[in-house]
Amino acid sequence: MKNSVTLTIDSQNVTVPEGTSIADAAESIGIKIPTICYHPSLTPPAICRVCTVEVEGQRTLQPACVVPVGEGMHVKTDTDRVKTARKVILELLASTVNLEEAPEIQEQIDETGADTERFEGGVKRHFEVKEDNPFYIRDYAQCIMCWRCIQVCADDVQNTYALTWGKRGLESHVATFLDEAMPNTTCVFCGNCVGICPTGALKGLIEYRSEQKKEQE
Amino acid sequence: MSSLNQFANDIRENQISRAALFWLRVFVQHAQNNVLRSDLWIKTGMEEGAVISGLNAADPAARVALLSNYDFFKAVRLKDQKSFSGKELDSLDWNRKYDLSLLPHVLESDDAIETRLEALWQEIGAVSPQDRAFEAVLENRASIWGENIPGRSLLPEILHEAQSIYDGWLSTPVLKRISRALKLPLSDIYGVTEFFTMYYTQPVGKKIIRICEDSACTMRGSQEIQKSLCKNLKINPGETTEDGEYTIEPIRCLGLCDHAPAALVNNTRHFELSLDKTDALLANTPDHPQTRNKIGGMVKIALSNINTIDPGSFEDYQEQGGLAALKKTLQQLTPEDVIESVKASKLVGRGGAAFPTGMKWQFTAGNPPGPRYVICNADESEVGAFKDRVLLDGDPFRIIEGLLIACYAVGAEQGFIYIRGEHRPSYERFVHAAAVMKEAGWLGTGIGGTDFNCHIAVRRGAGAYICGEETALMEALEGKRGFPRLRPPFPTTHGLWGKPTVINNVETLAKIPSIIIHGGAWYAALGTAESAGTKLFSVSGSIQRPGVYEVPFGVPLRHLIYDLAGGIAPGRELQAILTGGAAGTFLKPEHLDTPISYEAFKPIQGTIGAGTMIVFDDQVDLRHILADISGFFAHESCGKCYPCQIGSQRQAEILERIKQGRGLAEDSETLLELAQVMADTSICGLGQSAGWATVDAIKRWPNLLK
Ligand SMILES: Cc1cc2nc3c(=O)[nH]c(=O)nc-3n(C[C@H](O)[C@H](O)[C@H](O)COP(=O)(O)O)c2cc1C
Ligand code: SF4
Ligand code: SF4
Ligand code: FES
Ligand code: FES
């Protein structure tokens, strides 16, 4: 059996098995920590940083989705510093990506009071919708770069390696080899990426077409 | 002349592309009893052709020309058995299926048609001289880049070699060839080429002209030079001339700030550009040597050989006392002795983070037995930083000696040196130095006649500042995109390939031989109580004698800026010194009498960092400097974590707007909050520190951004 670890989260004592993440430990006592990139069946990339919490003694805030609990740790999940961090990250995201079809993120925006207009006017993730295969479309203007599709396509599930990253920085995006259309890649149309995408960026073609139709009516 | 001879001649004279020969050969190889179905022919040909470089199998032109111009083939339509030959083949509907066969006269004219075609293929079809060169690289990769190194890690080197063989860029067949050779998915290779700015997957000009756009160079007119070149060549920055001769590519600091304004043409350095010397840029004929080191200082340790020995000569190095430290180490010291000595020296890392070197070595040495590595971080790419370049160019053997001593201390048998991609002359120097040392028995197995074995691999970066961050560098060395890793675990236990790894800066390692010879206490005594030894500073900007200066900690800032670097140009006043690089802080004239040391800089919030000092006189608009710096971070963010991926871009946009005179009342407050969030939540030091200079400027000049 694993050893257990006792720590405090927002001044409440909690005892959990060694190796538990701070986020899971918090959840066990009813404290919900917001997450975006985390998905229980994938290797956590820990890139969105909205799950950020304050851990006493640490210089920077810590991503609760991956940082394991430690004996005697003091964690705070709702200080001003944490709240500001979450709010600003969501403001940044909203200034870059079309979040209309990401209801969970919308909720987080409401909860944190993020001002979605604050960083308006800069470079956005701008792409035309890619409709290049009979199964799904890719609308990367809605892509939050959570890496899930790349991960399911590669080592985490499918070992197909159709997807990768193009460029870097704000220009980084999900890409195929030389940006080829899906049928010219190694893609086997398993649909795992569509299933796991948390936004409207990947969508079944039939669903997309019927939405288009509705919009026209 | 038989029609096959005619066909061969036409290929030799470029009347028809060699792809036609390829298609004929595919037919002969795959036909059963001289029959092959058209769709299978095309499918097989496309597959096989995709990995032959320089061959465009996807283009139907050669295939159609082969059929309709030579009277070799007959096609029988499957649907109705209608037969086509000669010119009729010109207008076949390829959506239908045909049984193709060669006409009797082709088969009869030469009954060993397979042999005949194979000979032709070897002669004019198969392998271009470029392919031959590249195949040799792939075949000999173990001997070129080292045995026992996982295949994937050679990807960046192989991409570099492929580009230099194939006209400066990576075509699809070349990428596919690499994918097969290294057994790597194409998407993965593409992801790497996309991350690094020096790889091209589209054709580029024969000469790529990269003119530095950072402050030391723009202050001396680099932008005017770029403009004038663009005007002459009739292109915009980032474009290639129609004749394919030139590409002009804007680039951030090249680490040649002591020779500003500076540029690279392909891998060649051009110093002190001026509007009347653009011919030398276009012809790529600089009128100066590729390395020129402007140095100075009172106590020369790391700099002691610079400009006094021939950096290509191992004899020179040894005559100046080189190798004495390694010999002493191997003959008289245990690994523990070495670590104790380095700890006693109180040497801290010179790459910016100032971590105690002896402790880093001790942590790494303390792991359970097993493979481990030492890396020399020579990726110096920060704005205004060039002190490592001077060491790399001027004294390569010292750095390798320091690296070997580090390997001995932690029990590593493999070291790496990762050199910034733009510093090709430095890379070549190291390849040469490593070869000479190996030849002389000072690298490899049984070093210096002892039982110490150690290999050193020299590697090139490819245009990504983030790969100076230690975990990103390890990813790059493993052949991946340079994404920084999450920490913990730390490299001292989980570094390169997950093994314990020491990573040290060039200057840090250059100090090691002297510490071994003279002892730790000697080195510690050179500096102040809390800042041991000497430090190199890259001084550039509005300064009379830009260069690299070595000073013991404790001398006043004034000594460095005025006595050594010559001060500000007559008639101008000192405004500020950006210390510690782009993620540093600004000191003012009132700080000139502060001693340079960690403890004296702390209360005035100065930064030592890697030792970068960019000087600004009173004519410089600091708002422009902040806009430039933040643009640098936005350009160099790897894009992994949201706060930096997006935050660095928004910061740059706000500062650019302010620079253009369109500031808003809330800007300062927004910038402060953004910087705090980036510092709190970014994965690595780039994002964490990208807002520091701006925050510092707002503190020192509260009205600057209003
Ligand atoms: C964005 C970034 C870039 C860096 N670039 C370099 C570099 O070019 N050279 C270097 O030695 N250290 C660089 N560092 C610091 C390294 O991560 C690491 O601390 C250093 O190589 C350790 O060597 P040292 O202890 O000898 O200083 C960089 C750090 C960051 C965050
Ligand atoms: S397409 Fe969807 S799953 Fe893939 S990175 Fe973008 S948001 Fe995430
Ligand atoms: S801080 Fe910036 S450079 Fe570092 S991991 Fe995050 S995005 Fe990449
Ligand atoms: S959910 Fe933890 S970093 Fe994204
Ligand atoms: S080389 Fe131009 S600023 Fe450094």
Side-chain angles (χ1 to χ4, degrees):
Chain A
M1 218 188 88
K2 277 191 178 173
N3 296 333
S4 54
V5 170
T6 302
L7 67 158
T8 71
I9 301 181
D10 296 339
S11 310
Q12 292 185 55
N13 276 316
V14 50
T15 302
V16 287
E18 191 180 348
T20 308
S21 71
I22 295 178
D24 286 344
E27 182 133 25
S28 77
I29 50 168
I31 297 174
K32 178 94 182 94
I33 293 175
T35 59
I36 292 179
C37 65
Y38 181 77
H39 189 285
S41 45
L42 301 180
T43 314
I47 51 185
C48 76
R49 317 306 266 191
V50 288
C51 65
T52 232
V53 296
E54 218 172 306
V55 175
E56 207 177 278
Q58 294 286 339
R59 183 174 54 88
T60 59
L61 298 177
Q62 300 293 309
C65 66
V66 287
V67 174
V69 294
E71 186 61 41
M73 209 181 225
H74 296 296
V75 177
K76 294 208 175 81
T77 73
D78 69 346
T79 61
D80 285 345
R81 193 171 157 209
V82 168
K83 286 185 192 154
T84 306
R86 291 188 185 149
K87 176 178 77 76
V88 170
I89 290 171
L90 290 163
E91 288 169 344
L92 290 170
L93 195 59
S95 71
T96 310
V97 187
N98 171 1
L99 294 172
E100 275 167 29
E101 296 187 60
E104 283 175 33
I105 300 177
Q106 289 293 350
E107 240 167 68
Q108 293 171 6
I109 287 175
D110 291 344
E111 268 162 32
T112 54
D115 170 5
T116 54
E117 314 264 276
R118 186 174 187 193
F119 294 103
E120 265 308 304
V123 177
K124 283 182 176 271
R125 194 160 291 132
H126 177 77
F127 288 94
E128 301 295 326
V129 178
K130 295 184 205 297
E131 207 182 312
D132 60 11
N133 70 77
F135 302 101
Y136 58 87
I137 58 100
R138 297 178 289 149
D139 178 7
Y140 289 138
Q142 296 198 50
C143 170
I144 57 174
M145 284 304 282
C146 68
W147 293 17
R148 285 185 192 178
C149 53
I150 301 177
Q151 288 184 312
V152 285
C153 190
D155 309 291
D156 273 355
V157 179
Q158 194 63 31
N159 290 303
T160 297
Y161 307 100
L163 300 174
T164 185
W165 300 263
K167 298 271 176 66
R168 63 182 191 214
L170 193 74
E171 290 184 318
S172 58
H173 58 273
V174 180
T176 57
F177 174 62
L178 290 169
D179 289 321
E180 293 266 14
M182 283 329 285
N184 300 338
T185 70
T186 49
C187 173
V188 294
F189 300 100
C190 67
N192 277 324
C193 56
V194 181
I196 210 156
C197 176
T199 71
L202 300 179
K203 203 180 273 175
L205 186 64
I206 299 174
E207 187 189 345
Y208 174 71
R209 289 261 169 85
S210 74
E211 283 172 12
Q212 294 287 98
K213 223 185 205 163
K214 259 189 225 142
E215 239 168 68
Q216 278 166 14
E217 284 165 14
Chain B
M1 198 192 284
S2 86
S3 56
L4 209 51
N5 283 343
Q6 179 65 47
F7 177 59
N9 266 356
D10 288 353
I11 295 175
R12 287 192 195 97
E13 286 163 16
N14 278 328
Q15 301 288 332
I16 184 166
S17 100
R18 70 190 176 105
L21 174 59
F22 164 80
W23 282 106
L24 183 55
R25 184 165 160 270
V26 170
F27 177 86
V28 171
Q29 282 176 343
H30 294 276
Q32 304 274 335
N33 297 325
N34 189 29
V35 178
L36 183 63
R37 233 175 55 208
S38 56
D39 56 324
L40 293 178
W41 183 45
I42 293 171
K43 182 169 172 277
T44 319
M46 299 273 256
E47 275 167 21
E48 292 181 2
V51 295
I52 300 177
S53 75
L55 187 92
N56 190 354
D59 178 1
R63 213 172 59 220
V64 172
L66 168 68
L67 287 186
S68 53
N69 294 356
Y70 290 93
D71 201 27
F72 287 169
F73 281 92
K74 161 177 102 171
V76 177
R77 189 154 65 200
L78 286 193
K79 192 178 71 169
D80 54 5
Q81 297 298 312
K82 186 168 165 17
S83 176
F84 302 84
S85 60
K87 272 289 160 199
E88 294 162 0
L89 294 167
D90 220 358
S91 43
L92 284 193
D93 174 2
W94 288 96
N95 290 317
R96 306 217 173 275
K97 290 180 184 144
Y98 304 86
D99 269 336
L100 298 171
S101 50
L102 284 172
L103 294 170
H105 78 88
V106 191
L107 298 170
E108 281 157 16
S109 74
D110 200 328
D111 44 15
I113 184 159
E114 285 172 29
T115 333
R116 179 77 205 285
L117 278 182
E118 212 42 52
L120 260 184
W121 180 246
Q122 289 309 328
E123 181 207 333
I124 47 180
V127 201
S128 67
Q130 289 174 324
D131 292 345
R132 209 164 285 141
F134 189 50
E135 289 302 323
V137 166
L138 290 177
E139 202 166 299
N140 300 323
R141 57 188 189 259
S143 62
I144 302 172
W145 288 298
E147 320 278 340
N148 304 325
I149 290 177
R152 171 163 199 154
S153 77
L154 298 184
L155 176 63
E157 287 295 316
I158 288 176
L159 291 171
H160 273 304
E161 288 303 317
Q163 274 195 170
S164 62
I165 290 171
Y166 293 103
D167 308 318
W169 70 288
L170 303 157
S171 66
T172 306
V174 169
L175 291 169
K176 290 190 171 167
R177 180 71 191 91
I178 296 173
S179 159
R180 269 197 314 163
L182 295 181
K183 300 193 177 59
L184 277 179
L186 278 172
S187 61
D188 230 341
I189 295 177
Y190 182 66
V192 171
T193 64
E194 283 279 285
F195 193 86
F196 295 94
T197 58
M198 294 174 80
Y199 297 132
Y200 299 88
T201 51
Q202 302 293 327
V204 275
K206 286 196 191 116
K207 296 198 182 90
I208 305 176
I209 303 180
R210 301 181 173 99
I211 299 180
C212 171
E213 291 197 316
D214 261 304
S215 49
C217 290
T218 52
M219 283 184 213
R220 287 176 164 79
S222 68
Q223 277 167 330
E224 287 69 29
I225 294 164
Q226 174 162 314
K227 265 188 212 134
S228 133
L229 274 184
C230 283
K231 200 169 150 218
N232 287 344
L233 297 174
K234 304 195 180 60
I235 51 174
N236 292 314
E239 293 177 354
T240 300
T241 52
E242 242 168 55
D243 60 4
E245 278 302 310
Y246 297 102
T247 300
I248 296 214
E249 197 171 270
I251 193 161
R252 304 307 300 252
C253 177
L254 287 166
L256 301 169
C257 334
D258 43 348
H259 306 296
L264 288 184
V265 179
N266 295 343
N267 294 315
T268 307
R269 295 166 173 167
H270 289 250
F271 298 160
E272 280 116 35
L273 309 177
S274 65
L275 276 172
D276 54 7
K277 289 199 304 196
T278 51
D279 287 351
L281 270 179
L282 291 173
N284 198 8
T285 51
D287 61 358
H288 53 75
Q290 284 296 289
T291 61
R292 189 200 284 157
N293 307 307
K294 298 185 183 174
I295 59 156
M298 306 181 301
V299 192
K300 294 207 184 98
I301 296 172
L303 290 182
S304 60
N305 284 340
I306 308 286
N307 293 348
T308 66
I309 65 164
D310 169 2
S313 162
F314 194 34
E315 289 77 44
D316 265 22
Y317 179 65
Q318 293 180 71
E319 266 166 34
Q320 291 302 315
L323 280 196
L326 182 60
K327 287 177 186 159
K328 179 176 173 186
T329 300
L330 297 180
Q331 288 157 13
Q332 303 169 25
L333 305 178
T334 63
E336 294 73 31
D337 294 338
V338 175
I339 291 174
E340 278 318 311
S341 192
V342 174
K343 278 172 78 178
S345 76
K346 298 190 189 155
L347 174 67
V348 301
R350 300 301 195 219
F355 191 85
T357 307
M359 270 169 56
K360 191 183 271 189
W361 293 14
Q362 191 168 39
F363 291 158
T364 307
N367 283 285
R372 59 205 55 200
Y373 305 101
V374 178
I375 301 168
C376 173
N377 185 343
D379 197 41
E380 184 177 62
S381 318
E382 204 180 347
V383 179
F386 50 92
K387 50 113 184 156
D388 292 344
R389 186 206 89 224
V390 163
L391 296 176
L392 295 168
D393 288 351
D395 202 5
F397 295 107
R398 175 187 301 271
I399 296 157
I400 299 181
E401 188 177 355
L403 185 54
L404 284 172
I405 294 170
C407 287
Y408 177 82
V410 304
E413 296 195 343
Q414 175 73 58
F416 290 87
I417 170 153
Y418 186 85
I419 302 178
R420 175 176 185 182
E422 286 86 349
H423 287 333
R424 186 63 68 92
S426 320
Y427 166 78
E428 275 154 15
R429 189 136 278 173
F430 268 81
V431 170
H432 171 256
V436 170
M437 285 182 75
K438 191 166 179 195
E439 183 71 35
W442 288 100
L443 267 187
T445 43
I447 290 181
T450 68
D451 58 3
F452 175 52
N453 304 329
C454 195
H455 303 269
I456 303 286
V458 188
R459 293 284 188 271
R460 283 165 275 190
Y465 161 62
I466 189 58
C467 290
E469 196 280 335
E470 55 191 26
T471 60
L473 189 152
M474 289 172 200
E475 291 285 300
L477 268 184
E478 291 180 15
K480 305 181 196 149
R481 284 170 69 90
F483 283 138
R485 298 176 180 168
L486 301 176
R487 266 170 301 195
F490 292 94
T492 48
T493 57
H494 296 76
L496 196 58
W497 296 297
K499 305 290 182 225
T501 303
V502 165
I503 179 163
N504 274 130
N505 172 255
V506 172
E507 182 190 345
T508 313
L509 292 175
K511 301 274 171 69
I512 298 295
S514 309
I515 291 174
I516 297 297
I517 295 290
H518 303 291
W522 161 83
Y523 183 80
L526 288 172
T528 66
E530 287 171 55
S531 309
T534 62
K535 176 82 195 86
L536 299 188
F537 288 93
S538 318
V539 187
S540 68
S542 328
I543 194 87
Q544 302 267 56
R545 286 196 296 273
V548 174
Y549 298 95
E550 183 162 14
V551 296
F553 278 113
V555 301
L557 184 56
R558 185 185 299 283
H559 172 67
L560 175 63
I561 301 298
Y562 282 87
D563 302 343
L564 296 175
I568 314 294
R572 307 228 180 137
E573 300 275 330
L574 173 65
Q575 179 180 193
I577 307 167
L578 180 57
T579 64
T585 50
F586 293 92
L587 293 184
K588 292 176 157 181
E590 71 214 50
H591 299 121
L592 278 172
D593 295 310
T594 310
I596 301 176
S597 70
Y598 292 101
E599 62 272 29
F601 266 33
K602 208 167 179 189
I604 59 167
Q605 274 133 41
T607 330
I608 303 281
T612 300
M613 301 236 173
I614 313 177
V615 181
F616 304 111
D617 65 26
D618 50 359
Q619 306 209 343
V620 174
D621 186 338
L622 292 181
R623 288 170 299 192
H624 287 228
I625 301 300
L626 292 176
D628 284 357
I629 289 173
S630 59
F632 172 77
F633 287 122
H635 185 256
E636 297 300 333
S637 163
C638 81
K640 183 172 180 176
C641 63
Y642 291 14
C644 169
Q645 173 206 109
I646 312 175
S648 63
Q649 175 69 25
R650 299 295 170 245
Q651 172 177 270
E653 285 163 356
I654 296 171
L655 285 160
E656 183 63 30
R657 192 163 42 63
I658 294 173
K659 170 181 156 186
Q660 292 170 4
R662 296 184 291 120
L664 302 172
E666 67 268 22
D667 282 343
S668 288
E669 205 185 311
T670 307
L671 287 167
L672 289 173
E673 188 170 290
L674 185 56
Q676 180 62 39
V677 172
M678 288 172 72
D680 265 344
T681 59
S682 295
I683 289 182
C684 84
L686 189 153
Q688 288 170 8
S689 65
W692 286 357
T694 303
V695 172
D696 185 75
I698 294 175
K699 260 194 228 148
R700 293 188 203 263
W701 297 278
N703 291 321
L704 181 70
L705 302 182
K706 292 238 162 90

